[in-house]
Amino acid sequence: MGISRDSRHKHRHTGGRRNIHQKKRKFEMGRPAALCKLGHKRVRSVRGRGGNMKYRALRADTGNFAWGTEHVSKKVRILDVVYNATSNELVRTKTLTKNTVVQIDAHPFLQWYSKHYGIDLHKKKKGGKEEDTEEKKSFKVLGKQQARAAGQKIDPTLDDQFQTGRLLACIASRPGQSGRCDGYVLEGEELAFYKKKLEKKKKN
């Protein structure tokens, strides 16, 4: 029969078997896992108990990701699945679940940073003279940017990622329930933890 979430079929804590006195109920019903994959957006709606709707994301390739320390979020492309604590099988099949570590496109954040602080993170470390192709800004705008940049400090690990154009991020939403694939950019101790995990995985 279908997937059921009842506990009548389970043994007692002492190990004894239970006598089943009733059949399966609709409110105990379960459904197959969505197993959302990386690909062109495909969402299906599912009617739940009480007429509430769930949205099954079967494929997803974009999401809103927040950069916590800068208090900004951008819609970005998800490029790859790199780590999942549950199983390496979910990484191999590029399955998107809550708490999956993914690589996202850094360019929307680079553009925002350049506009907000007047600093181009992508060109910052490149040597040699560059052509001045920047648009002209008023003294008022330049003054604002310089004031913001004065107290600005970026995490060196995050800065290295900006050079590659890819950022490590974590999915915080549940794609199989909400139909969305949103999350946050990894920073600080959490970023160090996952980088360590990825290096260990590469060695093996």
Side-chain angles (χ1 to χ4, degrees):
M1 280 181 75
I3 299 165
S4 184
R5 297 181 299 112
D6 71 313
S7 57
R8 286 186 303 280
H9 65 282
K10 296 195 170 219
H11 284 248
R12 291 191 172 94
H13 291 299
T14 51
R17 288 189 65 183
R18 285 199 180 111
N19 292 324
I20 296 171
H21 68 284
Q22 69 178 42
K23 292 183 180 180
K24 293 184 178 183
R25 299 289 190 252
K26 180 80 161 47
F27 58 78
E28 291 167 348
M29 182 185 75
R31 295 188 187 88
L35 296 174
C36 176
K37 301 281 194 292
L38 186 62
H40 188 66
K41 188 181 174 184
R42 191 188 298 169
V43 180
R44 299 286 178 266
S45 57
V46 177
R47 185 193 179 276
R49 188 167 158 84
N52 296 306
M53 297 301 287
K54 287 186 177 188
Y55 297 95
R56 288 263 185 278
L58 304 177
R59 301 272 185 281
D61 59 353
T62 57
N64 289 327
F65 283 82
W67 185 0
T69 52
E70 293 298 332
H71 309 290
V72 66
S73 61
K74 294 283 171 192
K75 186 180 179 180
V76 295
R77 278 188 314 123
I78 300 167
L79 303 172
D80 198 10
V81 177
V82 291
Y83 182 77
N84 194 311
T86 308
S87 169
N88 284 334
E89 185 72 8
L90 297 175
V91 178
R92 192 183 63 78
T93 54
K94 297 191 189 302
T95 304
L96 302 170
T97 61
K98 185 176 176 175
N99 218 50
T100 299
V101 177
V102 293
Q103 276 189 339
I104 59 170
D105 182 21
H107 289 93
F109 291 111
L110 283 167
Q111 286 166 356
W112 174 84
Y113 200 90
S114 178
K115 197 174 179 182
H116 194 72
Y117 293 109
I119 300 165
D120 194 340
L121 288 173
H122 206 47
K123 292 178 183 176
K124 204 166 75 170
K125 287 187 179 176
K126 288 183 181 177
K129 290 181 180 178
E130 294 166 4
E131 290 178 30
D132 192 22
T133 54
E134 287 182 16
E135 57 184 83
K136 288 184 179 178
K137 294 168 188 170
S138 67
F139 288 114
K140 190 178 179 181
V141 171
L142 286 168
K144 271 185 183 179
Q145 287 180 340
Q146 283 164 6
R148 285 173 191 150
Q152 172 58 18
K153 204 174 183 182
I154 192 164
D155 184 358
T157 325
L158 204 60
D159 198 9
D160 292 339
Q161 285 187 70
F162 273 118
Q163 304 309 312
T164 62
R166 288 174 170 226
L167 295 173
L168 284 177
C170 184
I171 295 171
S173 68
R174 298 169 71 196
Q177 305 290 321
S178 63
R180 299 175 64 89
C181 209
D182 302 337
Y184 57 93
V185 174
L186 291 173
E187 298 175 88
E189 287 180 15
E190 198 175 4
L191 176 60
F193 173 82
Y194 283 114
K195 277 188 87 71
K196 207 173 181 181
K197 289 276 184 189
L198 290 169
E199 280 163 21
K200 194 177 177 184
K201 197 174 150 189
K202 275 180 187 175
K203 283 177 187 175
N204 295 338

mmCIF file of all heavy atoms in Angstrom, residues 98-130:
data_model
loop_
_atom_site.group_PDB
_atom_site.id
_atom_site.type_symbol
_atom_site.label_atom_id
_atom_site.label_comp_id
_atom_site.label_asym_id
_atom_site.label_seq_id
_atom_site.Cartn_x
_atom_site.Cartn_y
_atom_site.Cartn_z
ATOM 1 N N LYS A 98 17.635 20.718 2.074
ATOM 2 C CA LYS A 98 18.002 21.712 3.087
ATOM 3 C C LYS A 98 19.381 21.377 3.645
ATOM 4 O O LYS A 98 19.698 20.208 3.853
ATOM 5 C CB LYS A 98 16.964 21.724 4.211
ATOM 6 C CG LYS A 98 17.226 22.810 5.228
ATOM 7 C CD LYS A 98 16.158 22.879 6.286
ATOM 8 C CE LYS A 98 16.539 23.920 7.320
ATOM 9 N NZ LYS A 98 15.505 24.140 8.315
ATOM 10 N N ASN A 99 20.203 22.400 3.852
ATOM 11 C CA ASN A 99 21.562 22.287 4.403
ATOM 12 C C ASN A 99 22.583 21.695 3.431
ATOM 13 O O ASN A 99 23.675 21.319 3.834
ATOM 14 C CB ASN A 99 21.565 21.515 5.728
ATOM 15 C CG ASN A 99 22.557 22.109 6.697
ATOM 16 O OD1 ASN A 99 22.554 23.316 6.925
ATOM 17 N ND2 ASN A 99 23.407 21.295 7.256
ATOM 18 N N THR A 100 22.240 21.614 2.148
ATOM 19 C CA THR A 100 23.223 21.192 1.140
ATOM 20 C C THR A 100 24.168 22.360 0.873
ATOM 21 O O THR A 100 23.730 23.504 0.774
ATOM 22 C CB THR A 100 22.511 20.797 -0.173
ATOM 23 O OG1 THR A 100 21.636 19.709 0.092
ATOM 24 C CG2 THR A 100 23.487 20.390 -1.254
ATOM 25 N N VAL A 101 25.462 22.077 0.759
ATOM 26 C CA VAL A 101 26.438 23.125 0.426
ATOM 27 C C VAL A 101 26.600 23.157 -1.091
ATOM 28 O O VAL A 101 26.888 22.135 -1.710
ATOM 29 C CB VAL A 101 27.796 22.875 1.126
ATOM 30 C CG1 VAL A 101 28.819 23.917 0.719
ATOM 31 C CG2 VAL A 101 27.611 22.878 2.634
ATOM 32 N N VAL A 102 26.371 24.332 -1.665
ATOM 33 C CA VAL A 102 26.418 24.502 -3.120
ATOM 34 C C VAL A 102 27.373 25.621 -3.507
ATOM 35 O O VAL A 102 27.748 26.451 -2.678
ATOM 36 C CB VAL A 102 25.008 24.811 -3.701
ATOM 37 C CG1 VAL A 102 24.078 23.635 -3.557
ATOM 38 C CG2 VAL A 102 24.406 26.055 -3.061
ATOM 39 N N GLN A 103 27.760 25.632 -4.781
ATOM 40 C CA GLN A 103 28.535 26.745 -5.330
ATOM 41 C C GLN A 103 27.581 27.648 -6.090
ATOM 42 O O GLN A 103 26.791 27.166 -6.902
ATOM 43 C CB GLN A 103 29.617 26.234 -6.281
ATOM 44 C CG GLN A 103 30.879 25.813 -5.577
ATOM 45 C CD GLN A 103 32.010 25.518 -6.550
ATOM 46 O OE1 GLN A 103 31.780 25.258 -7.721
ATOM 47 N NE2 GLN A 103 33.232 25.543 -6.071
ATOM 48 N N ILE A 104 27.651 28.957 -5.807
ATOM 49 C CA ILE A 104 26.774 29.909 -6.494
ATOM 50 C C ILE A 104 27.599 30.936 -7.255
ATOM 51 O O ILE A 104 28.783 31.142 -6.961
ATOM 52 C CB ILE A 104 25.809 30.617 -5.509
ATOM 53 C CG1 ILE A 104 26.585 31.370 -4.417
ATOM 54 C CG2 ILE A 104 24.834 29.631 -4.894
ATOM 55 C CD1 ILE A 104 25.734 32.287 -3.563
ATOM 56 N N ASP A 105 26.957 31.594 -8.214
ATOM 57 C CA ASP A 105 27.603 32.629 -9.019
ATOM 58 C C ASP A 105 27.817 33.879 -8.160
ATOM 59 O O ASP A 105 26.866 34.398 -7.571
ATOM 60 C CB ASP A 105 26.711 32.937 -10.236
ATOM 61 C CG ASP A 105 27.331 33.960 -11.161
ATOM 62 O OD1 ASP A 105 28.557 34.136 -11.108
ATOM 63 O OD2 ASP A 105 26.581 34.593 -11.934
ATOM 64 N N ALA A 106 29.060 34.373 -8.102
ATOM 65 C CA ALA A 106 29.384 35.509 -7.234
ATOM 66 C C ALA A 106 29.115 36.867 -7.874
ATOM 67 O O ALA A 106 29.135 37.888 -7.183
ATOM 68 C CB ALA A 106 30.850 35.431 -6.816
ATOM 69 N N HIS A 107 28.858 36.901 -9.187
ATOM 70 C CA HIS A 107 28.792 38.184 -9.904
ATOM 71 C C HIS A 107 27.722 39.162 -9.403
ATOM 72 O O HIS A 107 28.011 40.361 -9.320
ATOM 73 C CB HIS A 107 28.683 37.936 -11.409
ATOM 74 C CG HIS A 107 29.969 37.420 -11.983
ATOM 75 N ND1 HIS A 107 30.223 36.071 -12.117
ATOM 76 C CD2 HIS A 107 31.085 38.065 -12.397
ATOM 77 C CE1 HIS A 107 31.433 35.908 -12.608
ATOM 78 N NE2 HIS A 107 31.989 37.098 -12.785
ATOM 79 N N PRO A 108 26.487 38.717 -9.066
ATOM 80 C CA PRO A 108 25.524 39.689 -8.520
ATOM 81 C C PRO A 108 26.019 40.386 -7.252
ATOM 82 O O PRO A 108 25.782 41.575 -7.055
ATOM 83 C CB PRO A 108 24.286 38.831 -8.223
ATOM 84 C CG PRO A 108 24.393 37.687 -9.162
ATOM 85 C CD PRO A 108 25.862 37.394 -9.254
ATOM 86 N N PHE A 109 26.755 39.651 -6.390
ATOM 87 C CA PHE A 109 27.318 40.240 -5.178
ATOM 88 C C PHE A 109 28.500 41.160 -5.498
ATOM 89 O O PHE A 109 28.680 42.188 -4.855
ATOM 90 C CB PHE A 109 27.751 39.148 -4.196
ATOM 91 C CG PHE A 109 26.609 38.393 -3.585
ATOM 92 C CD1 PHE A 109 26.374 37.068 -3.909
ATOM 93 C CD2 PHE A 109 25.753 39.009 -2.679
ATOM 94 C CE1 PHE A 109 25.315 36.366 -3.345
ATOM 95 C CE2 PHE A 109 24.684 38.317 -2.101
ATOM 96 C CZ PHE A 109 24.468 36.994 -2.435
ATOM 97 N N LEU A 110 29.298 40.771 -6.499
ATOM 98 C CA LEU A 110 30.427 41.610 -6.937
ATOM 99 C C LEU A 110 29.928 42.963 -7.436
ATOM 100 O O LEU A 110 30.498 44.009 -7.116
ATOM 101 C CB LEU A 110 31.221 40.915 -8.050
ATOM 102 C CG LEU A 110 32.160 39.784 -7.639
ATOM 103 C CD1 LEU A 110 32.617 39.003 -8.863
ATOM 104 C CD2 LEU A 110 33.373 40.331 -6.903
ATOM 105 N N GLN A 111 28.859 42.925 -8.238
ATOM 106 C CA GLN A 111 28.287 44.163 -8.787
ATOM 107 C C GLN A 111 27.747 45.056 -7.673
ATOM 108 O O GLN A 111 27.947 46.272 -7.681
ATOM 109 C CB GLN A 111 27.170 43.823 -9.788
ATOM 110 C CG GLN A 111 27.701 43.289 -11.100
ATOM 111 C CD GLN A 111 26.612 42.647 -11.956
ATOM 112 O OE1 GLN A 111 25.460 42.532 -11.551
ATOM 113 N NE2 GLN A 111 26.991 42.217 -13.150
ATOM 114 N N TRP A 112 27.064 44.436 -6.705
ATOM 115 C CA TRP A 112 26.531 45.206 -5.584
ATOM 116 C C TRP A 112 27.655 45.844 -4.768
ATOM 117 O O TRP A 112 27.592 47.021 -4.410
ATOM 118 C CB TRP A 112 25.684 44.295 -4.677
ATOM 119 C CG TRP A 112 25.237 45.017 -3.437
ATOM 120 C CD1 TRP A 112 24.149 45.822 -3.307
ATOM 121 C CD2 TRP A 112 25.907 45.041 -2.165
ATOM 122 N NE1 TRP A 112 24.098 46.336 -2.033
ATOM 123 C CE2 TRP A 112 25.156 45.876 -1.319
ATOM 124 C CE3 TRP A 112 27.065 44.421 -1.682
ATOM 125 C CZ2 TRP A 112 25.532 46.110 -0.006
ATOM 126 C CZ3 TRP A 112 27.432 44.661 -0.376
ATOM 127 C CH2 TRP A 112 26.673 45.492 0.460
ATOM 128 N N TYR A 113 28.709 45.061 -4.498
ATOM 129 C CA TYR A 113 29.846 45.536 -3.695
ATOM 130 C C TYR A 113 30.533 46.713 -4.379
ATOM 131 O O TYR A 113 30.902 47.703 -3.741
ATOM 132 C CB TYR A 113 30.840 44.385 -3.487
ATOM 133 C CG TYR A 113 31.781 44.589 -2.329
ATOM 134 C CD1 TYR A 113 31.458 44.139 -1.054
ATOM 135 C CD2 TYR A 113 33.004 45.235 -2.507
ATOM 136 C CE1 TYR A 113 32.318 44.313 0.016
ATOM 137 C CE2 TYR A 113 33.875 45.418 -1.434
ATOM 138 C CZ TYR A 113 33.524 44.955 -0.177
ATOM 139 O OH TYR A 113 34.382 45.134 0.884
ATOM 140 N N SER A 114 30.694 46.593 -5.696
ATOM 141 C CA SER A 114 31.325 47.646 -6.490
ATOM 142 C C SER A 114 30.503 48.938 -6.442
ATOM 143 O O SER A 114 31.049 50.036 -6.319
ATOM 144 C CB SER A 114 31.481 47.173 -7.936
ATOM 145 O OG SER A 114 32.032 48.187 -8.718
ATOM 146 N N LYS A 115 29.189 48.788 -6.515
ATOM 147 C CA LYS A 115 28.299 49.961 -6.502
ATOM 148 C C LYS A 115 28.221 50.592 -5.108
ATOM 149 O O LYS A 115 28.157 51.807 -4.964
ATOM 150 C CB LYS A 115 26.901 49.527 -6.962
ATOM 151 C CG LYS A 115 26.009 50.680 -7.386
ATOM 152 C CD LYS A 115 24.703 50.166 -7.956
ATOM 153 C CE LYS A 115 23.809 51.320 -8.362
ATOM 154 N NZ LYS A 115 22.508 50.858 -8.878
ATOM 155 N N HIS A 116 28.231 49.743 -4.070
ATOM 156 C CA HIS A 116 28.048 50.207 -2.699
ATOM 157 C C HIS A 116 29.320 50.807 -2.103
ATOM 158 O O HIS A 116 29.269 51.831 -1.420
ATOM 159 C CB HIS A 116 27.564 49.038 -1.834
ATOM 160 C CG HIS A 116 27.021 49.448 -0.509
ATOM 161 N ND1 HIS A 116 25.810 50.085 -0.375
ATOM 162 C CD2 HIS A 116 27.524 49.310 0.752
ATOM 163 C CE1 HIS A 116 25.581 50.326 0.910
ATOM 164 N NE2 HIS A 116 26.602 49.864 1.611
ATOM 165 N N TYR A 117 30.470 50.152 -2.360
ATOM 166 C CA TYR A 117 31.735 50.593 -1.763
ATOM 167 C C TYR A 117 32.708 51.221 -2.763
ATOM 168 O O TYR A 117 33.723 51.770 -2.365
ATOM 169 C CB TYR A 117 32.439 49.411 -1.081
ATOM 170 C CG TYR A 117 31.710 48.894 0.122
ATOM 171 C CD1 TYR A 117 31.061 47.665 0.083
ATOM 172 C CD2 TYR A 117 31.662 49.613 1.314
ATOM 173 C CE1 TYR A 117 30.389 47.167 1.192
ATOM 174 C CE2 TYR A 117 31.004 49.129 2.425
ATOM 175 C CZ TYR A 117 30.367 47.912 2.359
ATOM 176 O OH TYR A 117 29.701 47.422 3.454
ATOM 177 N N GLY A 118 32.426 51.056 -4.070
ATOM 178 C CA GLY A 118 33.341 51.581 -5.091
ATOM 179 C C GLY A 118 34.615 50.758 -5.200
ATOM 180 O O GLY A 118 35.646 51.233 -5.684
ATOM 181 N N ILE A 119 34.569 49.505 -4.721
ATOM 182 C CA ILE A 119 35.738 48.605 -4.780
ATOM 183 C C ILE A 119 35.366 47.401 -5.639
ATOM 184 O O ILE A 119 34.363 46.741 -5.376
ATOM 185 C CB ILE A 119 36.157 48.125 -3.367
ATOM 186 C CG1 ILE A 119 36.518 49.320 -2.474
ATOM 187 C CG2 ILE A 119 37.310 47.132 -3.436
ATOM 188 C CD1 ILE A 119 36.588 48.988 -0.999
ATOM 189 N N ASP A 120 36.198 47.123 -6.637
ATOM 190 C CA ASP A 120 35.955 45.949 -7.484
ATOM 191 C C ASP A 120 36.754 44.777 -6.933
ATOM 192 O O ASP A 120 37.974 44.712 -7.102
ATOM 193 C CB ASP A 120 36.354 46.255 -8.946
ATOM 194 C CG ASP A 120 35.802 45.215 -9.908
ATOM 195 O OD1 ASP A 120 35.467 44.105 -9.448
ATOM 196 O OD2 ASP A 120 35.710 45.497 -11.116
ATOM 197 N N LEU A 121 36.079 43.872 -6.237
ATOM 198 C CA LEU A 121 36.750 42.727 -5.599
ATOM 199 C C LEU A 121 37.405 41.801 -6.613
ATOM 200 O O LEU A 121 38.396 41.150 -6.326
ATOM 201 C CB LEU A 121 35.742 41.926 -4.766
ATOM 202 C CG LEU A 121 35.250 42.565 -3.476
ATOM 203 C CD1 LEU A 121 34.145 41.740 -2.880
ATOM 204 C CD2 LEU A 121 36.373 42.748 -2.475
ATOM 205 N N HIS A 122 36.834 41.733 -7.818
ATOM 206 C CA HIS A 122 37.346 40.823 -8.844
ATOM 207 C C HIS A 122 38.685 41.293 -9.403
ATOM 208 O O HIS A 122 39.530 40.488 -9.766
ATOM 209 C CB HIS A 122 36.314 40.714 -9.971
ATOM 210 C CG HIS A 122 36.398 39.419 -10.724
ATOM 211 N ND1 HIS A 122 36.487 38.201 -10.094
ATOM 212 C CD2 HIS A 122 36.433 39.165 -12.055
ATOM 213 C CE1 HIS A 122 36.553 37.244 -11.006
ATOM 214 N NE2 HIS A 122 36.530 37.798 -12.189
ATOM 215 N N LYS A 123 38.889 42.620 -9.458
ATOM 216 C CA LYS A 123 40.125 43.178 -10.040
ATOM 217 C C LYS A 123 41.161 43.534 -8.984
ATOM 218 O O LYS A 123 42.292 43.844 -9.314
ATOM 219 C CB LYS A 123 39.790 44.440 -10.834
ATOM 220 C CG LYS A 123 38.981 44.190 -12.087
ATOM 221 C CD LYS A 123 38.676 45.505 -12.765
ATOM 222 C CE LYS A 123 37.801 45.311 -13.995
ATOM 223 N NZ LYS A 123 37.427 46.601 -14.591
ATOM 224 N N LYS A 124 40.760 43.504 -7.720
ATOM 225 C CA LYS A 124 41.589 44.026 -6.645
ATOM 226 C C LYS A 124 43.001 43.451 -6.601
ATOM 227 O O LYS A 124 43.969 44.160 -6.446
ATOM 228 C CB LYS A 124 40.884 43.780 -5.306
ATOM 229 C CG LYS A 124 41.339 44.744 -4.232
ATOM 230 C CD LYS A 124 40.414 44.722 -3.035
ATOM 231 C CE LYS A 124 40.606 43.495 -2.199
ATOM 232 N NZ LYS A 124 39.892 43.551 -0.930
ATOM 233 N N LYS A 125 43.107 42.128 -6.785
ATOM 234 C CA LYS A 125 44.407 41.467 -6.639
ATOM 235 C C LYS A 125 45.171 41.301 -7.950
ATOM 236 O O LYS A 125 46.284 40.835 -7.969
ATOM 237 C CB LYS A 125 44.215 40.098 -5.970
ATOM 238 C CG LYS A 125 43.901 40.206 -4.494
ATOM 239 C CD LYS A 125 43.885 38.848 -3.862
ATOM 240 C CE LYS A 125 43.600 38.963 -2.375
ATOM 241 N NZ LYS A 125 43.480 37.659 -1.733
ATOM 242 N N LYS A 126 44.536 41.654 -9.057
ATOM 243 C CA LYS A 126 45.202 41.467 -10.341
ATOM 244 C C LYS A 126 46.263 42.554 -10.533
ATOM 245 O O LYS A 126 46.007 43.737 -10.349
ATOM 246 C CB LYS A 126 44.183 41.506 -11.489
ATOM 247 C CG LYS A 126 43.309 40.268 -11.517
ATOM 248 C CD LYS A 126 42.362 40.297 -12.683
ATOM 249 C CE LYS A 126 41.471 39.069 -12.691
ATOM 250 N NZ LYS A 126 40.505 39.102 -13.775
ATOM 251 N N GLY A 127 47.483 42.155 -10.918
ATOM 252 C CA GLY A 127 48.590 43.109 -11.081
ATOM 253 C C GLY A 127 48.494 43.868 -12.396
ATOM 254 O O GLY A 127 47.671 43.596 -13.256
ATOM 255 N N GLY A 128 49.408 44.833 -12.539
ATOM 256 C CA GLY A 128 49.453 45.617 -13.790
ATOM 257 C C GLY A 128 48.440 46.730 -13.809
ATOM 258 O O GLY A 128 47.523 46.788 -13.004
ATOM 259 N N LYS A 129 48.592 47.626 -14.778
ATOM 260 C CA LYS A 129 47.655 48.750 -14.901
ATOM 261 C C LYS A 129 46.415 48.319 -15.657
ATOM 262 O O LYS A 129 46.482 47.575 -16.620
ATOM 263 C CB LYS A 129 48.331 49.911 -15.624
ATOM 264 C CG LYS A 129 49.416 50.577 -14.787
ATOM 265 C CD LYS A 129 50.036 51.736 -15.539
ATOM 266 C CE LYS A 129 51.117 52.386 -14.700
ATOM 267 N NZ LYS A 129 51.769 53.490 -15.428
ATOM 268 N N GLU A 130 45.292 48.841 -15.219
ATOM 269 C CA GLU A 130 44.022 48.513 -15.869
ATOM 270 C C GLU A 130 43.465 49.740 -16.565
ATOM 271 O O GLU A 130 43.715 50.870 -16.154
ATOM 272 C CB GLU A 130 43.007 48.031 -14.816
ATOM 273 C CG GLU A 130 43.390 46.718 -14.175
ATOM 274 C CD GLU A 130 42.566 46.446 -12.927
ATOM 275 O OE1 GLU A 130 41.669 47.252 -12.637
ATOM 276 O OE2 GLU A 130 42.845 45.457 -12.247
#
